[in-house]
Amino acid sequence: MGIGKKLARDIKYNKYVYIIALPVIVYYIVFRYVPIYGLVIAFKDYVPSKGVLGSDWVGLKHFISFFNNFQSWRIIKNTVLLGVYDILWGFPVPILLALLLNEVRGKYYKRVVQTVSYLPHFISLVVICGLIIDFTSSDGVINDVLSVFGIPRSSFMMRPELFRTLYISSGIWQSAGWGSIIYLAAIAGIDSSLYEAAIIDGAGRFRQLLRITVPCIMPTITILLILRLGQIMTVGWEKIILLYNPTIYQTADVISSFVYRRGLQEFDYSFSAAVGLFNSVINFIFLVSANRFSRKFSESSLW
Amino acid sequence: MKKVRIFYLALAAILSFSLLAGCQGKNTADNSNSNVQTGSQPGSSMDASTSANADGVAYPLKDAQGITFTYWEQLSPEGAKVMTSYAESDAYQALQEKTGVKLKFIHPAQGQVNEQFNIMIASGEYPDMIQDARLYKSGGAKAVQDGVYLKLNDLIEKYAPDYHALRNSTDDIRRQTIGDNGDIWCIYPILNRENPSWYGPVINKEILAKTGLAIPVTIEDWTKVLQAFKANGVETPVVFDPQNRTDSFAASGIDTNGIFLSAFNVGPGFYRSGDKVQYGPIQPEFKDYLSVMRQWYAEGLVDSDFPVRDINGVNALFTNKKAGAYLVSVDSAFSMARGAGFDLTAAQYPVQKVGDKVQYRAKDWYATTGEVAVTTACKHPEIAVEFLNYGYTKEGEMLFNFGEEGKSYVMQDGKPAFTELVTKNPDVPIGSAIYKFKIQAGPHKRWGAYANAVTLANPEGMKIKEMWTENGFDLMLPPLSLTADEGQKAALIMNDVRTYQNEAVLKFIMGAESIDNFDSYVNQIKKMGIDEATGYQQAAFDRYLKR
């Protein structure tokens, strides 16, 4: 049977399902697939008045200009390092938090902790960055504390060696609570008879955690890790441009902040599109290889 | 197993939903950004007296009946406090009545002017007239080539006699109002006299009095005064305005108008030395400047956190008397000092030796921003140009600068003076009143600071401005226009140069890099192609001189 015929029959039988799915499909086509054709401006000299199709082709000019740029290796390195550190330190924290919260038996205490840990997620990034800069300035809270112990005051945001730590740790502070929700949901889905059986077999709390909870949420962890790896090169420009200054460019300047300076401040759309495309291709490669790796060594994968 | 699968479905749903939500937010924001407002239409003006002027454009324009022009203009943030559109501005209503032309305003959303301008151009649906037409990427001359703006040369000669006469009155004005290729692509607001300089070093009078020193004149005096401030317990003797992030001292180690740098006879970026264009930050004199700044930083005379302190932080230092001197716009300095209750004085721009004259300062050129282009979408360009001419007639000049006589201003001893409607209006703060009762920007013969009620209300500040205006501007390049090709290549070079330069200059000042490496810094910038970029500026400057 031809695929068209199959589809037609399926639509006939499940027409309401298709009607429900229609808006989502339309959404993806209109907002996710149609705009992809705009990527061609990476290979053109885009001029708004000529439009996407009318602009002149220039081939790989913008890519070559990016790789010839004196900053390109530095910003690629910074982007990769921030991405890797973010996964290395930022990914396990919500899992740990969820596991710890799960062990807390005091209902009210648990709720208070959860709420407090979610709160930073709802604060605007602009405010967060303002807080970070204020706290780390040479007359800020952190330096006030350090000076008590005789450590000389200095503005942390002017010390390149500290930027990555500050960026990652503030990110963890902001997102760990929110990120733990999904793991708590996964933990809640574990069959309680498993625990009962383990208790009968004499397993203590820690052993239950290690042998039941962790393995049961492993598929969730794997899926989220794969998705996260797909964004390894996506270091948000908003936070970077709100935090950085020329004294710490050497560790803080990343691809997206570079694209921002080029694309939005100087309207160099094509160049930005080229760099953005490069960034996305790397992300795509990470996503696909992580998925393949996971399929090979564990049961869960995205496809 | 089933439970697990349901969980994944839920997981997928949550993830895709959050994606959806994120995007939807963006899309709706885009759609609701521009608000289009119809100008309120004044009653029939047929009975209004028709004023004819010498060259024959008679207002109200008879042919304008039944025509409504769409007019793209940013609504100033101050104006937005009392109006949702200029259609509500008393002065704009009077303008429509006097000229007989009806306007429909299109205002871009606050803070997104560039983005919305580009979207408007990309959409291909242009309004009849665009104010701030320079926003077009690569400049207005390019917009004429691209078929977006009309070439106005002939139209102006024929339909805008008053503007035509004014723009040909001096060489400077003529050069500043025409493109390199001889195309006129917009009508500029033109200053009727040199506009006073608004930016420079202001000093807290109290703190200076405590040191017993005189107002500093030379760089050496400045070092002494700042050291004395420090000795008197002032934590950060001098601070700089970090408002404009890309050109500020905080970002580049050079203050916004190059005020300390110009004492060394170089400009902060590209500048002219005679007819030759040069780049300031690679000149040998720049090394001397860096040495002074480095010394100031090492002695704690400059805020040790300057690269990260934002405008509120800097203002707080000044208002809390932790800073003695501030390089800032004089108007904001006065409003801060009044709020904090101390008196201000100001120093002349610093020089190296007594008797030197600084040749670089904060300056407005005769042709100012607020320029208007007529687009190819306009069906009646000749009427549009006649309308734009109004601000250059005697009557129009008064309407734009002061509003309506007897209402927003009265004549005193032959000079216009604002009434309390503008200066002491209980409902409209003075900063907003200048947008409601007069027209601040827009095509007219501009009186500048002398028609700005806010500035006029502060005669002390005006005196300071006039003192700074005594400085020369021989080092300053007039506004140049690079060709699209030049512009693109120069932007590529300059983006790299600025990034590298800012980083290096801050390191020099903060002592992280030895000043002996200045030569290798210069070489690095040369390697990045600064000579090529200077060449483009030079070519543009040569064309300017030939205009």
Side-chain angles (χ1 to χ4, degrees):
Chain A
M1 205 180 336
I3 196 156
K5 233 177 182 178
K6 242 183 185 171
L7 188 70
R9 208 181 60 173
D10 198 38
I11 289 175
K12 200 174 155 200
Y13 280 109
N14 296 319
K15 63 179 168 213
Y16 294 109
V17 176
Y18 277 92
I19 290 171
I20 292 169
L22 195 65
V24 179
I25 294 169
V26 169
Y27 167 82
Y28 269 89
I29 291 173
V30 172
F31 292 110
R32 294 277 145 169
Y33 285 89
V34 174
I36 290 178
Y37 101 101
L39 270 180
V40 299
I41 69 169
F43 305 96
K44 289 180 158 204
D45 262 337
Y46 174 65
V47 182
S49 58
K50 285 189 192 165
V52 172
L53 293 177
S55 302
D56 305 326
W57 289 99
V58 294
L60 293 177
K61 177 179 141 187
H62 299 296
F63 292 90
I64 293 167
S65 131
F66 174 63
F67 286 107
N68 281 338
N69 191 290
F70 88 104
Q71 306 169 61
S72 59
W73 291 113
R74 182 170 83 178
I75 61 177
I76 291 171
K77 184 183 126 201
N78 286 340
T79 310
V80 171
L81 279 179
L82 279 182
V84 169
Y85 288 158
D86 195 26
I87 290 180
L88 205 62
W89 303 113
F91 187 75
V93 173
I95 302 173
L96 286 175
L97 186 66
L99 291 174
L100 292 174
L101 279 173
N102 186 48
E103 298 301 322
V104 173
R105 287 290 169 260
K107 206 166 153 194
Y108 290 103
Y109 177 69
K110 186 175 171 179
R111 284 198 184 150
V112 169
V113 171
Q114 269 185 292
T115 311
V116 168
S117 63
Y118 296 166
L119 274 180
H121 175 80
F122 296 101
I123 305 174
S124 152
L125 198 57
V126 180
V127 177
I128 299 260
C129 293
L131 288 175
I132 296 173
I133 290 174
D134 267 359
F135 283 3
T136 58
S137 71
S138 66
D139 48 7
V141 184
I142 296 176
N143 271 299
D144 285 348
V145 175
L146 290 179
S147 66
V148 172
F149 299 101
I151 298 166
R153 288 173 179 273
S154 71
S155 175
F156 290 2
M157 277 300 155
M158 284 157 57
R159 291 168 61 185
E161 72 276 12
L162 290 179
F163 179 77
R164 291 191 185 116
T165 313
L166 287 169
Y167 181 89
I168 303 293
S169 54
S170 61
I172 291 174
W173 170 70
Q174 196 187 1
S175 60
W178 187 254
S180 68
I181 294 179
I182 214 156
Y183 299 108
L184 282 169
I187 292 170
I190 299 171
D191 195 339
S192 57
S193 61
L194 291 173
Y195 290 107
E196 284 160 22
I199 292 168
I200 291 167
D201 289 346
R205 289 283 287 275
F206 189 64
R207 188 131 292 219
Q208 286 175 38
L209 175 93
L210 229 52
R211 299 288 178 194
I212 299 174
T213 316
V214 173
C216 283
I217 62 168
M218 213 39 164
T220 314
I221 296 176
T222 316
I223 299 284
L224 286 172
L225 184 63
I226 295 171
L227 289 173
R228 188 74 173 262
L229 282 170
Q231 294 170 357
I232 192 162
M233 297 277 280
T234 313
V235 174
W237 59 274
E238 298 100 329
K239 192 168 171 188
I240 297 278
I241 64 158
L242 285 167
L243 284 179
Y244 77 173
N245 66 72
T247 49
I248 50 170
Y249 272 176
Q250 65 187 86
T251 53
D253 201 13
V254 294
I255 292 179
S256 53
S257 56
F258 176 72
V259 167
Y260 165 80
R261 287 205 302 274
R262 257 296 168 60
L264 284 177
Q265 292 183 338
E266 286 170 22
F267 308 116
D268 204 343
Y269 302 112
S270 289
F271 183 82
S272 305
V275 180
L277 180 61
F278 163 74
N279 204 352
S280 301
V281 167
I282 304 273
N283 275 336
F284 183 71
I285 292 170
F286 266 100
L287 180 72
V288 172
S289 33
N291 191 55
R292 176 159 297 175
F293 186 80
S294 163
R295 201 167 41 190
K296 212 166 173 182
F297 296 100
S298 76
E299 282 170 11
S300 40
S301 68
L302 279 178
W303 63 86
Chain B
M1 210 50 222
K2 198 160 187 192
K3 225 170 194 178
V4 174
R5 196 166 293 160
I6 288 170
F7 174 68
Y8 282 135
L9 274 175
L11 180 65
I14 291 167
L15 288 175
S16 52
F17 184 74
S18 58
L19 276 176
L20 247 159
C23 300
Q24 260 170 358
K26 251 180 231 162
N27 293 328
T28 44
D30 282 350
N31 292 338
S32 60
N33 273 335
S34 47
N35 57 33
V36 179
Q37 297 266 350
T38 315
S40 71
Q41 292 158 8
S44 161
S45 50
M46 291 307 286
D47 52 354
S49 65
T50 300
S51 61
N53 65 39
D55 286 292
V57 183
Y59 298 96
L61 300 165
K62 286 210 175 67
D63 313 337
Q65 246 188 330
I67 297 176
T68 301
F69 286 121
T70 44
Y71 194 92
W72 195 92
E73 180 182 3
Q74 350 179 355
L75 179 61
S76 94
E78 287 297 322
K81 288 179 185 165
V82 294
M83 300 175 274
T84 56
S85 157
Y86 279 133
E88 294 163 33
S89 147
D90 295 40
Y92 264 118
Q93 285 172 9
L95 175 68
Q96 297 181 53
E97 202 169 329
K98 291 266 169 60
T99 56
V101 166
K102 291 188 183 92
L103 296 177
K104 185 174 158 186
F105 289 97
I106 303 171
H107 297 305
Q110 300 288 343
Q112 300 198 346
V113 177
N114 283 318
E115 290 87 341
Q116 297 215 346
F117 181 89
N118 288 322
I119 291 167
M120 172 192 58
I121 296 296
S123 76
E125 281 169 31
Y126 319 126
D128 294 313
M129 284 175 263
I130 299 177
Q131 188 162 316
D132 293 317
R134 68 181 177 288
L135 296 176
Y136 195 87
K137 194 192 171 194
S138 311
K142 186 80 189 343
V144 173
Q145 285 168 27
D146 289 347
V148 180
Y149 296 170
L150 284 176
K151 183 176 165 180
L152 297 176
N153 299 41
D154 299 337
L155 285 166
I156 285 175
E157 219 167 303
K158 225 163 155 186
Y159 298 105
D162 298 282
Y163 179 71
H164 185 68
L166 181 60
R167 73 164 286 269
N168 282 309
S169 60
T170 75
D171 270 356
D172 278 342
I173 298 177
R174 189 175 48 73
R175 283 174 177 157
Q176 284 165 25
T177 52
I178 192 167
D180 286 334
N181 58 2
D183 286 355
I184 298 177
W185 51 271
C186 72
I187 290 182
Y188 283 98
I190 293 175
L191 286 168
N192 67 337
R193 59 190 281 193
E194 184 73 31
N195 210 28
S197 196
W198 66 95
Y199 195 98
V202 294
I203 300 175
N204 182 328
K205 226 177 198 169
E206 232 171 86
I207 298 179
L208 185 68
K210 257 192 242 167
T211 65
L213 292 169
I215 294 174
V217 178
T218 64
I219 293 280
E220 239 170 279
D221 296 344
W222 269 95
T223 309
K224 276 181 203 141
V225 167
L226 296 178
Q227 283 165 342
F229 283 0
K230 189 88 185 173
N232 271 290
V234 178
E235 284 171 33
T236 52
V238 60
V239 288
F240 303 86
D241 158 35
Q243 188 95 64
N244 186 347
R245 284 190 68 124
T246 45
D247 302 329
S248 65
F249 188 78
S252 64
I254 307 170
D255 63 80
T256 308
N257 287 290
I259 287 161
F260 281 118
L261 179 58
S262 59
F264 299 89
N265 221 23
V266 288
F270 289 109
Y271 69 98
R272 64 188 280 197
S273 165
D275 284 348
K276 206 166 160 257
V277 177
Q278 283 181 314
Y279 190 62
I282 55 168
Q283 302 305 318
E285 291 90 342
F286 191 70
K287 192 176 173 184
D288 303 335
Y289 166 80
L290 284 181
S291 312
V292 172
M293 288 298 142
R294 191 183 169 92
Q295 184 202 343
W296 287 8
Y297 187 84
E299 293 181 22
L301 307 182
V302 176
D303 177 13
S304 62
D305 281 2
F306 76 88
V308 291
R309 200 169 314 263
D310 67 359
I311 180 82
N312 298 323
V314 175
N315 287 347
L317 286 177
F318 189 60
T319 50
N320 295 334
K321 300 174 193 173
K322 287 181 180 167
Y326 194 179
L327 266 68
V328 70
S329 102
V330 72
D331 290 331
S332 40
F334 268 97
S335 76
M336 275 184 273
R338 295 219 167 107
F342 59 79
D343 280 338
L344 279 185
T345 181
Q348 182 55 283
Y349 286 14
V351 290
Q352 271 184 304
K353 290 195 305 287
V354 180
D356 283 358
K357 197 174 177 203
V358 168
Q359 293 296 350
Y360 202 101
R361 64 175 165 86
K363 175 175 167 57
D364 283 322
W365 298 91
Y366 278 104
T368 69
T369 56
E371 71 287 352
V372 177
V374 181
T375 69
T376 48
C378 182
K379 289 201 186 83
H380 306 281
E382 64 299 330
I383 296 174
V385 171
E386 280 181 333
F387 162 74
L388 294 173
N389 180 60
Y390 183 71
Y392 304 89
T393 65
K394 196 69 212 147
E395 198 185 279
E397 187 183 332
M398 294 309 284
L399 174 64
F400 273 82
N401 283 300
F402 295 98
E404 294 159 273
E405 186 168 5
K407 189 178 163 191
S408 57
Y409 77 97
V410 287
M411 294 303 280
Q412 280 174 355
D413 314 325
K415 277 187 186 165
F418 285 109
T419 61
E420 291 195 349
L421 179 75
V422 177
T423 56
K424 283 195 187 115
N425 194 321
D427 303 321
V428 186
I430 187 166
S432 305
I434 58 173
Y435 292 94
K436 185 166 169 65
F437 299 112
K438 57 165 289 195
I439 301 174
Q440 235 347 63
H444 67 290
K445 191 169 176 183
R446 224 175 163 167
W447 290 38
Y450 299 94
N452 185 333
V454 181
T455 317
L456 291 173
N458 179 8
E460 223 180 320
M462 197 64 165
K463 253 187 219 150
I464 292 175
K465 289 182 179 181
E466 280 168 348
M467 169 178 84
W468 289 337
T469 312
E470 287 162 17
N471 292 308
F473 51 92
D474 288 356
L475 291 176
M476 298 186 79
L477 283 171
L480 303 176
S481 59
L482 274 65
T483 65
D485 188 43
E486 285 171 348
Q488 206 182 13
K489 285 181 185 155
L492 277 177
I493 297 170
M494 289 318 292
N495 190 294
D496 288 353
V497 168
R498 288 303 298 255
T499 307
Y500 171 76
Q501 176 198 320
N502 289 351
E503 204 177 332
V505 167
L506 290 191
K507 279 184 182 162
F508 282 134
I509 292 178
M510 295 166 62
E513 182 86 55
S514 162
I515 201 94
D516 299 335
N517 292 338
F518 185 77
D519 290 341
S520 69
Y521 149 86
V522 171
N523 285 337
Q524 178 65 35
I525 289 186
K526 283 197 171 146
K527 231 194 280 169
M528 290 174 167
I530 192 68
D531 292 338
E532 191 187 336
T534 311
Y536 297 134
Q537 296 284 338
Q538 181 74 55
F541 186 43
D542 291 344
R543 289 194 301 266
Y544 173 86
L545 292 175
K546 273 195 211 118
R547 280 178 193 173

